[in-house]
Amino acid sequence: MATSYQHQKAGDLNFLKRLNRSAILEMVRRVPGLTRADIATQAQLTKATVGSGVQSLLNQGWLKEGDLQKSSGGRPGRALHLNDDRHYLLGAEVGVHRLRLVACAPSGKVLEALHEPFVPTTPESTAALLAELLQQLMRSPAVAQRENLGIGVALPGPIATGDAVLRRAPNLGWQDVRFLDLLHPHLPELKGVWLMDNEAKSAAFGELYFRTGKIPESLLYVSAGTGIGSGLAEGSHSPLLTRGVQGLAGEIGHTILQPGGHYCHCGNRGCAETLVSGWSIRATLGIDEKDDLIQTLEPRLQEPEVTLTLRRAGEALGMLLLNLHHTQNPAEIVLGGSLTQLGNTFLEPALTYFEANQHRLLGTTQRVPLRVVEDSTFVAARGAAAQVLARAIHGPELS
Amino acid sequence: MATSYQHQKAGDLNFLKRLNRSAILEMVRRVPGLTRADIATQAQLTKATVGSGVQSLLNQGWLKEGDLQKSSGGRPGRALHLNDDRHYLLGAEVGVHRLRLVACAPSGKVLEALHEPFVPTTPESTAALLAELLQQLMRSPAVAQRENLGIGVALPGPIATGDAVLRRAPNLGWQDVRFLDLLHPHLPELKGVWLMDNEAKSAAFGELYFRTGKIPESLLYVSAGTGIGSGLAEGSHSPLLTRGVQGLAGEIGHTILQPGGHYCHCGNRGCAETLVSGWSIRATLGIDEKDDLIQTLEPRLQEPEVTLTLRRAGEALGMLLLNLHHTQNPAEIVLGGSLTQLGNTFLEPALTYFEANQHRLLGTTQRVPLRVVEDSTFVAARGAAAQVLARAIHGPELS
DNA sequence: AGAGTATGTTCAAGCTGTTTACTTAGTCGT
DNA sequence: ACGACTAAGTAAACAGCTTGAACATACTCT
């Protein structure tokens, strides 16, 4: 249930063993079908060490053996795979207008999902509602016979490292909420990892951690919804998230993009959110808080006023992306959040601006891919589940 | 001589031993006067392990024993200190108008320094000149009888992780320079660690790594000179630097701060450097490239045009700092570079803007300290030396 | 069928951290 | 001044993990 992260400086033999087991598990997770010999080569371990480590992971049900591989002149190796049938992870996102829940297999496959509209209330009643939905999810047949590894909750506001407090969620009207402490009494039987994190950071983590094939060395997730935030995940083995001392890292909605510009709800002037965000688009077009932004705008996309507003917002987003490129320089940028549903009127100016300017400093040597998530509904919830898995693999759970 | 950094996933017993030795050494370095018992408690190791580790570090000359500490009811512990007399580190910075060199003790104390004006030429002749100055430094009495641990070079441009190439240095007119490969033939006798890094990143590393007492969990160094760049160092044990895939992380001079603003030399419009930077101040006030900016402006600080220009630049810097606060949220910000010598006309607006706005999102719970370096002349060179020490402590050198 | 080659396993050996008991060096109380 | 007490540091036996070398296994090529 603790979320603090112990910075490991020194270690004993047990630590070394766990380190090696984790490394093996991560490698097979990332590259399904790896053989013991492949692992020994890549991890710089001996065949014997890998053999015993794999055996123990097989016994614990983390791995399973697959087919024999094609021989390359000698005895063929046996393929190893993550055992995707034994465990599951719970991930939830408390959004501004929605609760989203997933149960994931260790591979990241979504086993069951729930998507409930909700009107923000107190943290306490939200926790009660979420607990009820989680229990509903856990009773579903695809999940019920698996072993749970823990639960992760993604929230729309800054959360500092090592302290499970949501400092402020302006769009929920919450402040200093220890959400896990509120949720735990409703789910006392739920053991394993308990964690909470910022929504964009969970999303970034999940997009990187559940990736297979060629894995970028870092990934930035930009979440464009009512507000706008970002998360940076780095490192392929077990990605690290940049949270900042106060959890404010990624609060890009409040970076200044137009000095002396409009007032933001934070009290400052010219914040990026005054140019791109659900609330600023609402304000510009006079759309009521109670109406769904996307549904309201969909039939009005041809109106010149709407087109102009979305184009301007899109261009501001492009600048914001370029600023992140020149501040954090991630290997890949992923764009998600409800505003991506506004389509090309909004997205095209952002993508165009970024493409036109990303090579200003170094020429066209290496392109940073910018990808728009097709459906970002469960990205943050799935990301929180990914964080649970990472914690389980690298924590004391693995014996 | 290799600069690539192997991401350690798995390890053997030797790795574990080195890890523990490094941890002990780091702890004593950070808190001089620690006893074996203190180390055992903090590092979660047994007395016996610490004892043998310390013994080996004493034998190798990394540590030395000090006085007995005050007893707290039992046998007093013996204080341990970093042996500051045995080794030294070389650090150099190739600036736009200056070469700066230092030889440091492991504590970070500058033993000898050199500061030479220079006019940018080819990489080759710069390497030759630098090598000559380095040899001069190594012959000085305070250094000559110590053992060298390696050399680090800080350069004004992006350098990607794991690849010792300076991609572009616009203010030097260099491109794709493997500077270490040019320097090495002139100093074949120099063994140990060889590395190069971006100037602001070296500075950030050094400011964090050589700190004693209360150590911030992360530190952002902003270098304001001809151009403007930043570096973020994180983690107290052995700080990590964020470089980005292409080494563009921290290129904050080219973040957009004024959409549709003036053209930048990068070809884009509204970059922060068009508002704050040595070159933009020169351009606004019509100061020739050949004249020293600081010396030219010092007698003119009362002129309304100068005051206005510097105030505007300072305010833009304040916004840039706030943007970094809301993007990276470091635990401490350090401001350096030649422009800091312009004094309060320039600095005061920056500091005021930052102080006035840093609490917009969370209230005044926790203040992020913003410090201006008194004399930033050797900060980057000393930081490069710090990187050498860290590489030596955590690399294979420690047996 | 037999040689060749690479995978995976077994087991004694070596190394590292731990445990336990002991020595050492102070303080406190009488 | 002496002894009881406390905590730091050390020595030796012990436990656990990785290693190295020999061996068993499984496929291909001739």
Side-chain angles (χ1 to χ4, degrees), chain B residues 322-377:
Chain B
L322 187 70
N323 285 0
L324 290 163
H325 174 58
H326 285 153
T327 310
Q328 318 222 23
N329 194 28
E332 184 172 324
I333 302 179
V334 177
L335 189 53
S338 59
L339 294 191
T340 56
Q341 297 170 54
L342 290 172
N344 274 335
T345 318
F346 171 65
L347 291 174
E348 200 258 13
L351 302 183
T352 304
Y353 185 90
F354 185 75
E355 289 304 331
N357 292 292
Q358 74 152 294
H359 295 120
R360 292 281 183 204
L361 295 185
L362 291 182
T364 52
T365 45
Q366 196 181 352
R367 197 180 148 270
V368 172
L370 168 54
R371 177 165 62 85
V372 180
V373 171
E374 323 76 63
D375 179 3
S376 58
T377 315

Side-chain angles (χ1 to χ4, degrees), chain B residues 58-138:
Chain B
L58 285 169
N59 295 341
Q60 288 174 65
W62 282 99
L63 293 180
K64 63 183 176 193
E65 291 192 312
D67 298 332
L68 285 177
Q69 288 205 325
K70 275 271 164 62
S71 161
S72 56
R75 171 177 171 176
R78 189 160 290 276
L80 295 168
H81 296 275
L82 192 63
N83 185 352
D84 214 26
D85 305 320
R86 186 178 159 83
H87 300 118
Y88 77 99
L89 320 149
L90 289 173
E93 181 195 2
V94 178
V96 181
H97 303 111
R98 302 272 193 290
L99 291 180
R100 305 182 185 94
L101 297 83
V102 292
C104 281
S107 64
K109 196 180 73 177
V110 175
L111 300 167
E112 283 291 333
L114 269 176
H115 186 192
E116 290 278 319
F118 109 114
V119 179
T121 55
T122 63
E124 288 76 12
S125 54
T126 306
L129 174 57
L130 186 63
E132 201 174 298
L133 293 168
L134 281 166
Q135 268 159 341
Q136 185 181 324
L137 206 63
M138 290 162 76

Side-chain angles (χ1 to χ4, degrees), chain B residues 247-282:
Chain B
L248 288 181
E251 285 293 332
I252 53 172
H254 299 281
T255 55
I256 309 299
L257 198 52
Q258 194 172 54
H262 293 126
Y263 277 97
C264 177
H265 61 76
C266 77
N268 204 350
R269 300 178 67 172
C271 290
E273 279 198 6
T274 64
L275 301 171
V276 233
S277 66
W279 67 259
S280 70
I281 293 174
R282 277 196 147 89

Side-chain angles (χ1 to χ4, degrees), chain A residues 263-285:
Chain A
Y263 277 97
C264 177
H265 61 74
C266 76
N268 204 351
R269 300 178 68 171
C271 290
E273 279 198 5
T274 64
L275 301 170
V276 232
S277 66
W279 68 260
S280 69
I281 293 173
R282 277 196 148 89
T284 309
L285 295 174

Side-chain angles (χ1 to χ4, degrees), chain B residues 194-210:
Chain B
W194 280 67
L195 60 84
M196 62 189 255
D197 208 336
N198 170 269
E199 154 259 336
K201 292 178 187 66
S202 289
F205 189 93
E207 288 298 294
L208 187 54
Y209 197 62
F210 279 149

Side-chain angles (χ1 to χ4, degrees), chain B residues 147-170:
Chain B
E147 187 183 328
N148 178 261
L149 288 175
I151 175 168
V153 183
L155 296 163
I159 295 167
T161 319
D163 204 16
V165 192
L166 174 65
R167 300 292 299 279
R168 212 181 82 112

Side-chain angles (χ1 to χ4, degrees), chain A residues 10-11 13 20 167-168 244-246 248 250-251 254-257 259 266 323 326-329 360-361 365-366, chain B residues 10-11 13 20 167-168 244-246 248 250-251 254-257 259 266 323 326-329 360-361 365-366:
Chain A
L13 286 163
N20 288 345
R167 300 291 300 278
R168 212 181 84 112
V245 241
Q246 300 151 308
L248 288 181
E251 286 293 331
H254 300 281
T255 54
I256 309 299
L257 197 51
C266 76
N323 286 358
H326 284 153
T327 309
Q328 317 221 14
N329 194 28
R360 291 281 181 203
L361 296 185
T365 43
Q366 194 182 353
Chain B
L13 287 163
N20 288 344
R167 300 292 299 279
R168 212 181 82 112
V245 240
Q246 300 151 307
L248 288 181
E251 285 293 332
H254 299 281
T255 55
I256 309 299
L257 198 52
C266 77
N323 285 0
H326 285 153
T327 310
Q328 318 222 23
N329 194 28
R360 292 281 183 204
L361 295 185
T365 45
Q366 196 181 352

